[in-house]
Amino acid sequence: MKPYPNPTFAPEQTLDPADWNAFRAQAHRLLDAAVDRMERYREGPVWTALPQALQADYQAPLPSMGIGPEATQAHMEALLPYGVGNTHPRFFGWVHGSGTPCNLMADITAAAINANLGGRDHGAMYVEKQVVNWCRELFQFPATSSGLIVSGTSIATVIALKAARDRCFDFGSRKAGLQNTARGRLVGYTSEQTHSCVARAFDILGLGTEALRKIAVNGRFEIDTEALKAAIAQDRAANLTPFLIVGTAGAVNVGAIDDLETLADIAQAEQLWLHIDGAFGALGVLSERLRPRLTGLQRADSIAFDFHKWLHVNYDAGFILMRSEESHRRAFSERPEYLKGASRGLAAGNPWPVEYGPELSRGFRALKVWAQLAEHGTAKLGALITQNCEQAAYLAELVNACPQMTLVAPVAMNICCFRYQIEGQDAKTTDVLNDEIVVQLQTQGIAAPSTTLVNGRNAIRVNITNHRTTRADLELLVREVHRIGQELLNTGLAPEKWNF
Ligand SMILES: *Cc1c(COP(=O)(O)O)cnc(C)c1O
């Protein structure tokens, strides 16, 4: 062998620590700071806006010279108290999971492995396959089903609806697009209470949001299945092509669960794809209390749901479960020569996740999902779901016991919507009052509910997907709503005076 050429290079650089002992000490310090923060989740305000000085830290120009590990860590530590508040026991806004301290271990491990789960044969892939199998088992899906861990229900919905759409064209649409098809215009159905991610998926998939029919709901905010049947018949008569029903297991406003069994019957009779948005509610199958309400779920063609909501996995982690692995793969598989599989070596382990979704590079989300299920088990995780439902029912009792508060929707699961109102006050003023009560609860750091519209009127919306909440937290919430409501009324309801 000839000697290697010997040009004069500068010594190679790397991003690894120059001093591993110093790095180790630094890592331990940050870990302590993180654990301190977690141990005190209950203390302090639920939410605090990022102080001006810290905001300024994030308006610096792009650094050409790095600031080094200590200064970088100091910036990160300073951020620890300024989350959205979902780790606090009185965070009740939107639908946020509260996370678990033990999930930190999974994130540390995943960071140390730094795996890319687009495909190939390596340890992390076995963990993801385990999670897929567990999800099959959880929802009684057949061995011929498939699944993919994704960032959340929004992207899970896009993946499911793409498979549903492409199946209508026997997957020829992947090449031909949606132009000039002989199939006619595709239309889908969902209820007025469905999350906006479904309409967004229609937009993203080139179907147009107008092709999503929003069917009216009944008094329990569940899709009116008779109106659904009528809408399908009407569209067929107009030569349109119904292809999809989207049901909801846990609607975002009031937590309603559609009649999934009837939806499955209609989908079967009409030969439509049944997709279920179960972002938080689908995991109700873990709860003895909710499981009977979710019958029919196991008949869906696809279910989208989140681990980061009611399973309290740290952000972000969602899932798409598909009954037909074939439809799933045919809607996404595309293996160019540089991604060719093999039966041995690193390119083995087929099929790869890249064949089931739009992403090639994917992080190791599976580990935190696996760790949560492995460490706590489904019995405890399910009992915590039940606990939240019981707490929402308890809150409804507290509301009913207060003459100034009115429930505006039945409590189906874990969401309680109510209004603070006094007799004789007009509805518009009550709307403004309720919005302001929520802003005051948030800015005073007491609690963080959100607001929504129920039957066209503003309501205080309390969603409990929080394993740290106690009944005492709900009692405090009701007392504080009452106090703030009274204080606002005492100012003569002049919004310009509402500066606490
Ligand atoms: C949160 C939620 C979504 C969206 O899920 P992401 O994980 O935020 O993308 C969709 N539907 C319902 C019912 C939700 O609660």
Side-chain angles (χ1 to χ4, degrees):
M1 208 170 124
K2 279 199 286 186
Y4 290 126
N6 189 16
T8 48
F9 279 131
E12 274 95 345
Q13 303 195 65
T14 166
L15 296 174
D16 285 340
D19 177 348
W20 279 97
N21 281 331
F23 175 74
R24 189 181 301 274
Q26 191 203 348
H28 286 170
R29 266 201 319 279
L30 183 61
L31 183 60
D32 273 338
V35 175
D36 284 347
R37 170 73 195 118
M38 294 188 290
E39 196 179 355
R40 300 192 189 121
Y41 275 152
R42 179 174 276 282
E43 293 169 22
V46 176
W47 168 77
T48 320
L50 192 65
Q52 288 290 331
L54 285 182
Q55 289 188 26
D57 274 2
Y58 295 95
Q59 287 154 9
L62 181 68
S64 149
M65 296 293 286
I67 56 174
E70 285 81 17
T72 305
Q73 181 155 322
H75 279 285
M76 294 196 290
E77 272 189 59
L79 270 183
L80 279 171
Y82 302 105
V84 68
N86 57 319
T87 54
H88 193 285
R90 285 191 301 280
F91 188 92
F92 304 126
W94 305 277
V95 187
H96 278 55
S98 40
T100 54
C102 45
N103 239 203
L104 180 70
M105 308 306 175
D107 274 345
I108 291 175
T109 312
I113 298 177
N114 188 25
N116 178 350
L117 281 87
R120 304 169 192 90
D121 189 4
H122 51 104
M125 298 288 292
Y126 292 79
V127 179
E128 175 143 350
K129 282 178 185 159
Q130 170 75 96
V131 172
V132 172
N133 275 329
W134 280 350
C135 290
R136 278 193 189 111
E137 192 179 331
L138 201 53
F139 294 102
Q140 301 167 40
F141 265 47
T144 49
S145 59
S146 53
L148 188 72
I149 298 179
V150 292
S151 59
T153 292
S154 299
I155 188 69
T157 304
V158 171
I159 292 172
L161 270 47
K162 181 176 190 300
R165 180 196 75 180
D166 290 354
R167 191 185 63 164
C168 296
F169 303 103
D170 198 22
F171 303 93
S173 48
R174 293 192 60 192
K175 224 177 184 166
L178 302 180
Q179 332 275 15
N180 309 320
T181 72
R183 286 286 278 154
R185 196 167 155 238
L186 298 187
V187 285
Y189 307 85
T190 195
S191 95
E192 288 166 345
Q193 290 289 310
T194 299
H195 192 275
S196 57
C197 73
V198 177
R200 274 219 288 183
F202 268 64
D203 168 14
I204 292 166
L205 293 170
L207 297 166
T209 55
E210 283 174 5
L212 180 64
R213 309 287 197 238
K214 304 261 177 87
I215 307 296
V217 292
N218 63 23
R220 293 184 303 275
F221 297 88
E222 300 158 4
I223 189 168
D224 176 340
T225 50
E226 288 307 314
L228 168 64
K229 284 194 249 178
I232 296 171
Q234 195 181 354
D235 282 337
R236 287 206 198 279
N239 264 331
L240 302 177
T241 306
F243 80 110
L244 169 81
I245 298 173
V246 178
T248 301
V252 65
N253 269 341
V254 302
I257 305 171
D258 286 336
D259 177 350
L260 304 178
E261 201 76 81
T262 302
L263 288 187
D265 289 342
I266 297 172
Q268 196 172 352
E270 299 277 353
Q271 302 248 305
L272 307 180
W273 183 293
L274 177 61
H275 173 74
I276 303 294
D277 177 345
F280 64 99
L283 284 169
V285 295
L286 294 175
S287 149
E288 305 283 334
R289 179 183 170 120
L290 288 183
R291 194 177 308 125
R293 307 266 316 280
L294 293 166
T295 48
L297 193 55
Q298 75 287 356
R299 292 172 63 193
D301 291 294
S302 51
I303 307 175
F305 63 95
D306 286 324
F307 300 111
H308 58 220
K309 288 177 176 167
W310 237 349
L311 210 66
H312 309 293
V313 170
N314 283 3
Y315 280 87
D316 50 14
F319 198 78
I320 182 64
L321 182 63
M322 295 266 207
R323 174 165 307 280
S324 162
E325 184 274 342
E326 191 199 345
S327 294
H328 194 178
R329 185 169 30 81
R330 288 183 73 193
F332 286 97
S333 184
E334 183 72 67
R335 294 281 291 268
E337 61 281 6
Y338 49 83
L339 293 178
K340 204 157 72 74
S343 59
R344 291 180 305 131
L346 195 45
N350 289 283
W352 292 359
V354 63
E355 295 178 81
Y356 298 106
E359 294 174 321
L360 173 54
S361 295
R362 304 169 62 247
F364 196 4
R365 292 187 181 106
L367 190 60
K368 55 191 178 178
V369 180
W370 175 87
Q372 194 84 316
L373 285 161
E375 177 170 348
H376 302 294
T378 55
K380 179 157 188 197
L381 292 163
L384 287 166
I385 291 175
T386 301
Q387 176 173 298
N388 284 162
C389 294
E390 286 168 352
Q391 287 168 334
Y394 178 63
L395 176 59
E397 283 178 40
L398 297 177
V399 164
N400 282 333
C402 180
Q404 292 85 358
M405 297 183 200
T406 315
L407 274 189
V408 296
V411 173
M413 283 214 256
N414 60 321
I415 298 177
C416 179
C417 293
F418 60 97
R419 248 160 103 78
Y420 189 82
Q421 58 192 127
I422 50 162
E423 257 196 64
Q425 191 173 68
D426 68 284
K428 260 239 157 69
T429 314
T430 305
D431 278 350
V432 179
L433 175 64
N434 280 272
D435 264 0
E436 185 60 22
I437 289 173
V438 168
V439 170
Q440 291 298 335
L441 286 166
Q442 293 174 358
T443 55
Q444 294 182 42
I446 297 163
S450 54
T451 58
T452 192
L453 275 186
V454 179
N455 296 325
R457 303 255 66 113
N458 291 356
I460 300 174
R461 177 178 166 285
V462 174
N463 162 84
I464 319 176
T465 40
N466 194 328
H467 61 88
R468 299 191 180 99
T469 304
T470 64
R471 272 165 302 172
D473 288 312
L474 300 172
E475 290 159 4
L476 184 145
L477 171 75
V478 168
R479 272 200 311 276
E480 290 293 300
V481 166
H482 190 55
R483 174 185 66 82
I484 293 169
Q486 285 299 304
E487 283 177 18
L488 292 170
L489 291 169
N490 289 343
T491 62
L493 271 182
E496 65 278 6
K497 292 189 205 153
W498 293 352
N499 267 322
F500 285 82

